[in-house]
């Protein structure tokens, strides 16, 4: 944030970090956005090549995994999953 807005930005960041709401509407919207990103990436040959290269180069290491996740895992995420992960 720009220095003029730093105090307000820090306050907002603190609220988001310490008091997240995990709104169902926002979760569903973000799942749609991520699924659309996966679809768009699969329509781009360069992105497919990069993804395949990373998977072959790094195998099961986190670098070899898709940073967007898998379609099935994105669809299965629930609000309870997020709350549970946050509490850990």
């Amino acid at each position: 944030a720009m220095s003029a807005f730093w105090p307000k930005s820090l306050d907002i960041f603190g609220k988001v970090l310490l008091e997240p709401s995990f709104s169902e509407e926002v979760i569903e919207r973000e799942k749609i956005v991520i699924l659309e990103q996966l679809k768009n990436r699969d329509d781009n040959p360069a992105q497919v090549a990069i993804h395949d290269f990373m998977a072959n180069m790094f195998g099961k290491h986190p670098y070899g995994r898709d940073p967007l996740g898998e379609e099935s895992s994105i669809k299965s995420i629930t609000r309870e999953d997020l709350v549970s992960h946050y509490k850990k």
Side-chain angles (χ1 to χ4, degrees), residues 20-36:
S21 63
F22 298 109
S23 163
E24 284 285 350
E25 290 176 12
V26 173
I27 293 168
E28 290 305 314
R29 182 188 69 216
E30 290 304 310
K31 286 167 63 171
I32 290 168
V33 168
I34 293 170
L35 291 170
E36 192 65 29

Side-chain angles (χ1 to χ4, degrees), residues 5-17:
F5 302 107
W6 181 247
K8 178 102 173 142
S9 299
L10 193 57
D11 182 49
I12 291 170
F13 178 71
K15 287 180 182 176
V16 168
L17 185 63

